[in-house]
């Protein structure tokens, strides 16, 4: 039975998809140990009852959080050092919206995760004696800088802390509460690091390195994807990108969508907007931006479509270059 025109076009495309997926898997195999995300620790002190930025208790907590995450293998950057070029240092009483905007504005290095914490510290006198006990509560949470996705939260509160000595003045109070807050911050940081470890842990990918369900591998490529070490597991921070296609025909957009679904560590994609010559996708993957950009350029090469790939923030713009 003769093949239809659509089947004639799609069959070579499926073979090309398999070849591209196998080739990309083989190229990515040595990078089985994924790069840990870049992280910044920031304190939210908009609540007037929280300990403000600049207070010595705040400084001890942020130092302990940063050091614990650093020892767990994450690339931790100091907020003042990376943002001092475009924002005023030592601003206090900042809301989370400002913190997220500052984290997104930092481009060198690009930040992936922001750890936001608050400190509530007070001292309460017993109703039955003159014993005064400090009370410290530190909630913390992790946010994906690009997407705003919550990656986990943890809080330490309700601990029975040692009472303050008699005649404890302000200096004594700051030092005693600061020491307790530092210990609690270590527990919060360990919990947040464990949650982040779980997020970036390698996981099996049903789409990684595999041909489309009804595609048959071309000769000579039968075991390429299966033989590549690490082809079944994808680790790294789940990231979401906006992928825009400009100037492509409907057939080329369809082909590009199939290519993107065959990339290694692909998670999910969703069309956001489509028109006669444009298409926009919300694309979720565990690949970093460098690998995704390389795959998109390879995709244009395999499609024999002259074009350019631009990237900024979390947006890839792929423009078709028209030729005579």
């Amino acid at each position: 039975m003769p093949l239809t025109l659509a089947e004639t076009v799609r069959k070579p495309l499926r073979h090309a998809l398999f070849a591209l997926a196998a080739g990309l898997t083989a190229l990515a195999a040595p990078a089985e140990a994924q790069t840990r995300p870049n992280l910044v620790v920031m304190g939210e002190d908009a609540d007037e009852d929280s300990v403000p930025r600049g207070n010595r208790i705040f400084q001890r907590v942020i130092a302990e959080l940063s050091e614990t995450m650093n020892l767990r293998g994450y690339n931790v950057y100091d907020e003042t050092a990376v943002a001092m070029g475009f924002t005023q240092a030592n601003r206090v009483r900042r809301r989370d919206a400002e913190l997220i905007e500052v984290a997104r504005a930092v481009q060198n290095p690009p930040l992936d995760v922001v750890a936001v914490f608050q400190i509530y510290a007070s001292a309460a006198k017993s109703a039955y004696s003159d014993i005064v006990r400090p009370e410290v509560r530190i909630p913390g949470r992790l946010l994906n800088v690009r997407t705003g996705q919550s990656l986990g939260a943890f809080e330490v509160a309700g601990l029975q802390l040692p009472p303050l000595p008699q005649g404890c003045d302000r200096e004594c109070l700051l030092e005693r509460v600061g020491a307790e807050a530092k210990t609690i911050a270590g527990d919060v940081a360990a919990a947040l690091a464990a949650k982040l470890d779980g997020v970036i842990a390698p996981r099996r990918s049903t789409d990684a390195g595999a041909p489309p369900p009804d595609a048959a591998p071309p000769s000579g490529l039968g075991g390429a994807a299966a033989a590549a070490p690490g082809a079944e597991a994808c680790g790294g921070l789940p990231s979401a990108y906006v992928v825009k296609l400009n100037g492509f025909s409907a057939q080329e957009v369809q082909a590009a969508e199939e290519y993107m679904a065959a990339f290694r560590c692909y998670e999910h994609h969703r069309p956001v907007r489509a028109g006669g010559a444009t298409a926009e996708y919300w694309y979720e993957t565990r690949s970093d931006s460098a690998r995704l950009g390389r795959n998109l350029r390879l995709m244009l090469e395999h499609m024999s479509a002259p074009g350019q790939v631009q990237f900024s923030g979390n947006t890839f713009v792929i423009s078709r270059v028209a030729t005579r």
Side-chain angles (χ1 to χ4, degrees), residues 71-251:
L71 293 177
R72 291 292 290 264
Y74 292 99
N75 305 315
V76 182
Y77 291 89
D78 180 78
E79 177 197 349
T80 303
V82 298
M84 63 186 300
F86 55 84
T87 186
Q88 181 182 353
N90 300 323
R91 273 180 50 82
V92 297
R93 300 306 180 191
R94 303 179 302 170
R95 298 188 179 276
D96 55 353
E98 180 178 351
L99 302 181
I100 295 171
E101 185 177 13
V102 170
R104 287 178 175 174
V106 176
Q107 295 184 353
N108 296 307
L111 300 176
D112 303 304
V113 177
V114 56
V116 182
F117 69 93
Q118 294 172 292
I119 310 170
Y120 293 94
S122 61
K125 185 177 180 180
S126 172
Y128 307 102
S129 66
D130 58 353
I131 295 177
V132 179
R133 292 184 181 274
E135 297 180 358
V136 179
R137 179 169 67 89
I138 302 179
R141 54 198 174 100
L142 299 169
L143 293 176
N144 187 316
V145 173
R146 293 191 183 93
T147 65
Q149 180 185 8
S150 176
L151 303 177
F154 191 78
E155 176 180 314
V156 175
L159 299 178
Q160 186 75 11
L161 302 179
L164 298 174
Q166 285 292 328
C168 187
D169 57 8
R170 181 178 183 277
E171 183 72 18
C172 166
L173 181 64
L174 288 175
E175 287 299 318
R176 289 299 184 101
V177 174
E180 299 296 343
K182 180 176 182 292
T183 302
I184 294 174
D187 296 336
V188 174
L192 293 179
K195 289 178 178 290
L196 195 51
D197 287 342
V199 171
I200 68 173
R203 54 175 292 184
R204 288 184 177 273
S205 175
T206 55
D207 298 284
D214 55 347
S219 59
L221 290 175
E232 294 184 354
C234 286
L237 182 69
S239 299
Y241 301 92
V242 176
V243 179
K244 298 180 179 180
L245 303 175
N246 294 330
F248 291 88
S249 66
Q251 292 79 7

